[in-house]
Amino acid sequence: MSKIPEVYVVSDSLGDTAESVAKATISQFDENIDVVRVPFIRHAEQVEKVVEEAAEHHAVVCHTLVSPELRQTFEKIAEAKHVRYVDILGPMMDMVGTITTSKPRMKPGIIHKLD
Protein backbone atom coordinates (compact mmCIF):
# COMPACT_ATOMS: atom_id res chain seq x y z
CA MET A 1 0.00 0.00 0.00
CA SER A 2 1.50 3.33 -1.02
CA LYS A 3 1.45 6.38 1.19
CA ILE A 4 -1.10 9.13 0.47
CA PRO A 5 0.70 12.28 -0.75
CA GLU A 6 0.57 15.33 1.51
CA VAL A 7 0.46 19.07 0.98
CA TYR A 8 1.42 21.13 4.01
CA VAL A 9 -0.38 24.45 4.35
CA VAL A 10 1.72 26.84 6.43
CA SER A 11 0.51 30.24 7.60
CA ASP A 12 1.26 32.96 10.13
CA SER A 13 -2.51 33.27 10.59
CA LEU A 14 -5.32 30.71 10.31
CA GLY A 15 -4.23 29.19 7.01
CA ASP A 16 -7.59 29.57 5.24
CA THR A 17 -6.10 31.21 2.14
CA ALA A 18 -3.37 28.63 1.61
CA GLU A 19 -5.78 25.79 2.33
CA SER A 20 -8.24 27.11 -0.27
CA VAL A 21 -5.47 27.26 -2.87
CA ALA A 22 -4.25 23.78 -1.91
CA LYS A 23 -7.75 22.29 -2.12
CA ALA A 24 -8.46 23.97 -5.46
CA THR A 25 -5.22 22.50 -6.77
CA ILE A 26 -5.80 19.05 -5.31
CA SER A 27 -9.26 18.90 -6.86
CA GLN A 28 -7.54 18.75 -10.27
CA PHE A 29 -5.97 15.37 -9.46
CA ASP A 30 -7.66 11.97 -9.50
CA GLU A 31 -6.20 10.66 -6.26
CA ASN A 32 -6.38 11.24 -2.54
CA ILE A 33 -4.01 13.94 -1.31
CA ASP A 34 -4.03 14.95 2.35
CA VAL A 35 -3.84 18.56 3.48
CA VAL A 36 -1.94 19.23 6.70
CA ARG A 37 -2.69 22.73 7.99
CA VAL A 38 -0.08 24.39 10.23
CA PRO A 39 -1.36 27.80 11.39
CA PHE A 40 0.09 30.59 13.51
CA ILE A 41 3.74 30.23 12.50
CA ARG A 42 5.59 33.17 14.05
CA HIS A 43 9.16 32.02 14.79
CA ALA A 44 12.10 30.43 12.99
CA GLU A 45 11.95 27.44 15.35
CA GLN A 46 8.39 26.71 14.22
CA VAL A 47 9.44 27.00 10.59
CA GLU A 48 12.28 24.56 11.12
CA LYS A 49 10.01 22.03 12.83
CA VAL A 50 7.34 22.11 10.11
CA VAL A 51 9.89 21.94 7.29
CA GLU A 52 11.59 18.94 8.93
CA GLU A 53 8.22 17.21 9.26
CA ALA A 54 7.34 17.96 5.63
CA ALA A 55 10.73 16.58 4.57
CA GLU A 56 10.15 13.36 6.52
CA HIS A 57 6.78 12.92 4.80
CA HIS A 58 8.09 13.86 1.33
CA ALA A 59 5.39 16.52 1.27
CA VAL A 60 5.15 19.74 -0.67
CA VAL A 61 4.37 22.98 1.13
CA CYS A 62 2.38 26.06 0.24
CA HIS A 63 2.61 29.03 2.54
CA THR A 64 1.09 32.42 3.11
CA LEU A 65 3.74 33.88 5.39
CA VAL A 66 3.49 37.67 5.36
CA SER A 67 6.73 38.66 7.11
CA PRO A 68 9.60 38.98 4.61
CA GLU A 69 12.02 37.78 7.29
CA LEU A 70 9.92 34.70 8.04
CA ARG A 71 9.52 33.98 4.31
CA GLN A 72 13.29 34.20 3.84
CA THR A 73 13.86 31.92 6.82
CA PHE A 74 11.32 29.46 5.45
CA GLU A 75 12.92 29.46 1.99
CA LYS A 76 16.43 28.98 3.40
CA ILE A 77 15.41 26.05 5.60
CA ALA A 78 13.20 24.45 2.92
CA GLU A 79 15.97 24.64 0.32
CA ALA A 80 18.49 23.16 2.77
CA LYS A 81 16.08 20.27 3.48
CA HIS A 82 15.15 19.86 -0.22
CA VAL A 83 11.48 20.57 0.50
CA ARG A 84 9.48 21.85 -2.46
CA TYR A 85 7.29 24.86 -1.69
CA VAL A 86 5.13 27.60 -3.16
CA ASP A 87 5.02 31.12 -1.71
CA ILE A 88 1.42 32.17 -2.38
CA LEU A 89 1.39 35.75 -1.05
CA GLY A 90 4.92 37.04 -1.63
CA PRO A 91 4.89 37.25 -5.44
CA MET A 92 1.35 38.64 -5.46
CA MET A 93 2.24 41.37 -2.94
CA ASP A 94 5.28 42.25 -5.04
CA MET A 95 3.13 42.49 -8.17
CA VAL A 96 0.40 44.61 -6.55
CA GLY A 97 3.19 46.85 -5.23
CA THR A 98 4.00 47.75 -8.83
CA ILE A 99 0.59 49.40 -9.34
CA THR A 100 0.14 51.20 -6.03
CA THR A 101 1.95 53.89 -4.10
CA SER A 102 1.24 52.34 -0.71
CA LYS A 103 3.27 49.63 0.98
CA PRO A 104 1.76 46.37 2.25
CA ARG A 105 0.85 46.35 5.94
CA MET A 106 2.70 43.06 6.56
CA LYS A 107 0.25 42.03 9.29
CA PRO A 108 -0.81 38.36 9.43
CA GLY A 109 -4.53 37.65 9.53
CA ILE A 110 -5.63 41.07 8.32
CA ILE A 111 -8.05 39.53 5.79
CA HIS A 112 -10.24 38.38 8.68
CA LYS A 113 -10.60 42.00 9.81
CA LEU A 114 -11.53 43.05 6.26
CA ASP A 115 -14.26 40.41 5.84
Side-chain angles (χ1 to χ4, degrees):
M1 183 174 171
S2 64
K3 184 182 174 316
I4 296 174
E6 293 177 333
V7 174
Y8 275 57
V9 169
V10 177
S11 178
D12 46 17
S13 186
L14 295 172
D16 293 339
T17 302
E19 185 171 25
S20 292
V21 171
K23 286 183 175 182
T25 303
I26 288 167
S27 71
Q28 299 298 316
F29 293 86
D30 291 327
E31 66 180 284
N32 290 329
I33 301 172
D34 286 338
V35 174
V36 178
R37 191 194 302 205
V38 186
F40 302 116
I41 297 295
R42 301 276 202 245
H43 306 286
E45 296 80 18
Q46 294 171 296
V47 168
E48 187 152 10
K49 182 179 176 186
V50 72
V51 171
E52 286 177 2
E53 186 177 314
E56 289 172 12
H57 292 229
H58 304 288
V60 296
V61 179
C62 64
H63 74 78
T64 53
L65 299 171
V66 173
S67 159
E69 295 82 13
L70 206 51
R71 283 198 322 262
Q72 289 172 354
T73 298
F74 180 92
E75 291 170 8
K76 181 180 172 187
I77 295 169
E79 288 169 8
K81 300 279 184 185
H82 306 288
V83 171
R84 294 160 295 173
Y85 65 90
V86 175
D87 177 352
I88 295 170
L89 285 183
M92 188 64 184
M93 283 193 298
D94 292 344
M95 190 61 64
V96 171
T98 68
I99 62 168
T100 182
T101 58
S102 64
K103 300 284 185 207
R105 292 186 185 117
M106 300 303 198
K107 293 181 182 176
I110 201 165
I111 191 171
H112 301 291
K113 293 174 183 147
L114 296 175
D115 286 351

